[in-house]
Amino acid sequence: MSRRSAPFVAPSHIDDPISAEGKKHAKALLSTLQEDIASFRDEQFPPDILRQVRDMPIYEGNIAEVQAYQQRWHNLLERAMAFYPTANLPPDHLPLPASLEIPQFIYHVQRLHLTKTRAKESKSFGSVGALTDKCGDYNADEIARMSAVFDNDDEARLVAHREFIDLRAYVFCRDSKGEMLEPERVRFYRTGLIVHALPDFKIVDSRQTPRKRRNDAYNNPLADNGVWKIYRKK
């Protein structure tokens, strides 16, 4: 699945939400929500009634403790759902955007498996100027190679890749019958993760041995400034 979070939708109470003015109003309201979340996090995160898991922004407690902490976030969660109404709903179960920095709440957790994975961030560009604005400087030869891509093809795109170590948790939960469900892979470092821990809750920590990233389809970069490698988009 290409999208990593639920899609943004302008709230229905905004006048003419698909117009330019309506979209501007929606973005202003979203910005206000983000400011309110940041202020609330300063006061309420880390949670004072839950226990930290290792050195991670993961906190566990019994069901009453987790529900009590989630209730503190209730108003902000409701406001966020007005912008992302499909968040965590079937069939996709996509989360709220990590940029909101609202903690993720997961119940009936039996086991956490903490991992590090070699990953890459990817950005696509239609001009050298836009690329250097986001990715930084390159030498003259590299600029010439990138420019030649656009000189020869008006529809060409450049793609920039930045490698990094991605921290994830595989969350194993039980259903209402007590049967173990398939694990859910969660990116949590920016938002924080709040789990309702079942009896005999276990943690498997594999962070010392990062998993190998899958083979990259791109080789021989046109440019490399030590952070971003640049390729012609396939």
Side-chain angles (χ1 to χ4, degrees):
M1 185 178 300
S2 59
R3 186 185 292 272
R4 293 183 178 178
S5 61
F8 174 85
V9 177
S12 58
H13 62 78
I14 293 177
D15 292 336
D16 196 6
I18 64 173
S19 69
E21 191 62 30
K23 291 178 180 178
K24 183 178 179 181
H25 186 193
K27 293 294 185 182
L29 291 176
L30 180 60
S31 178
T32 298
L33 171 61
Q34 290 174 312
E35 291 172 0
D36 291 345
I37 290 170
S39 177
F40 189 78
R41 276 184 71 97
D42 286 342
E43 299 176 359
Q44 296 288 339
F45 193 88
D48 56 353
I49 59 174
L50 303 174
R51 293 163 290 284
Q52 186 173 16
V53 173
R54 305 293 167 87
D55 56 341
M56 299 284 92
I58 304 175
Y59 300 85
E60 58 95 2
N62 61 38
I63 192 167
E65 292 168 332
V66 171
Q67 287 176 335
Y69 184 64
Q70 186 171 8
Q71 184 61 32
R72 299 182 191 178
W73 285 89
H74 178 74
N75 290 337
L76 291 170
L77 280 165
E78 279 200 332
R79 288 170 60 189
M81 290 299 294
F83 295 100
Y84 304 94
T86 64
N88 301 310
L89 296 178
D92 297 324
H93 299 281
L94 296 172
L96 290 167
S99 58
L100 291 180
E101 299 191 357
I102 293 178
Q104 300 177 72
F105 294 84
I106 303 181
Y107 289 81
H108 310 292
V109 178
Q110 188 67 77
R111 186 167 79 248
L112 283 180
H113 186 183
L114 304 175
T115 70
K116 284 184 176 180
T117 302
R118 299 185 187 280
K120 68 179 180 184
E121 181 180 0
S122 182
K123 297 179 183 291
S124 180
F125 300 95
S127 71
V128 174
L131 185 150
T132 56
D133 183 55
K134 294 292 185 180
C135 300
D137 296 329
Y138 293 85
N139 65 42
D141 288 342
E142 292 172 324
I143 293 293
R145 286 196 293 270
M146 291 189 286
S147 298
V149 171
F150 297 113
D151 292 340
N152 297 325
D153 184 351
D154 291 339
E155 297 184 358
R157 302 281 292 180
L158 291 175
V159 61
H161 290 169
R162 178 183 68 87
E163 295 185 354
F164 66 100
I165 298 297
D166 189 19
L167 187 63
R168 301 174 182 175
Y170 289 82
V171 186
F172 295 78
C173 299
R174 293 191 182 275
D175 63 15
S176 59
K177 298 179 181 179
E179 297 180 357
M180 191 77 82
L181 300 172
E182 289 294 317
E184 179 181 358
R185 187 179 67 180
V186 179
R187 289 180 171 90
F188 63 88
Y189 207 80
R190 186 170 181 180
T191 62
L193 178 61
I194 311 298
V195 299
H196 157 221
L198 294 173
D200 299 321
F201 171 68
K202 295 181 180 179
I203 301 165
V204 179
D205 193 341
S206 300
R207 289 176 293 158
Q208 300 306 313
T209 54
R211 296 184 177 187
K212 292 182 179 179
R213 183 167 55 80
R214 290 173 294 182
N215 290 335
D216 198 333
Y218 289 90
N219 295 289
N220 301 318
L222 297 170
D224 181 358
N225 65 1
V227 178
W228 292 95
K229 294 181 179 180
I230 311 302
Y231 307 86
R232 178 171 182 155
K233 190 170 184 179
K234 296 182 178 181

